[in-house]
Amino acid sequence: MNFKSKISQIIENDLQTDAKLQQICDVLKNNYPHFHWVGFYFINGTKQELKLAQFAGTPTEHTIIPFGKGICGQVAVSNKNFIVQDVSEQDNYISCGIDVKSEIVIPIFQKDKNIGQIDIDSHDKSPFTKEDEELLEYICEKVATLNLDGIINQPPF
């Protein structure tokens, strides 16, 4: 299956934005065996924090993440991809579960502003490839074309 074309189909369909984001999470989690948790975090209005939006996988208590904290919070500040092949080697890591061994986070930009990210957790060590990173970058570029105002400006959970 060509996942880029599948993602493009989801982005272009007539669903609401939140349903599109949920479909992306589900497609990734169900088709990539090393993607055990897939979710989107977006900036929480004017606050210096991220809030969890759609996800696929075990629910997490980390629905709000301050900028700078954990891998997601660091990406909110650095504006750069962050691939951690072994989370035990990270000092500034927020554990989402004892099974998580690695994480990849890719920022989403609209008008040159980091407005969110896609976050993938894996129960495997060193599973993420350059192809995974490129696919997630493509997804983030596509998600950036959506009207995310309702998601970014929602009150926190």
Side-chain angles (χ1 to χ4, degrees), residues 88-156:
S88 69
E89 296 176 357
Q90 280 295 313
D91 292 335
N92 188 2
Y93 172 70
I94 299 172
S95 176
C96 292
I98 59 169
D99 294 326
V100 177
K101 304 282 190 278
S102 55
E103 184 172 7
I104 183 171
V105 179
I106 309 295
I108 301 167
F109 295 95
Q110 278 186 338
K111 298 177 186 166
D112 297 324
K113 182 178 182 200
N114 183 344
I115 52 97
Q117 54 199 230
I118 190 167
D119 177 22
I120 314 286
D121 291 344
S122 180
H123 298 169
D124 306 322
K125 275 191 182 175
S126 301
F128 300 118
T129 65
K130 188 67 179 163
E131 290 77 21
D132 292 337
E133 183 178 17
E134 289 169 359
L135 174 64
L136 296 173
E137 287 172 343
Y138 176 82
I139 290 169
C140 289
E141 288 171 13
K142 289 295 186 182
V143 167
T145 67
L146 298 172
N147 179 347
L148 298 166
D149 291 344
I151 293 172
I152 292 171
N153 294 322
Q154 287 179 350

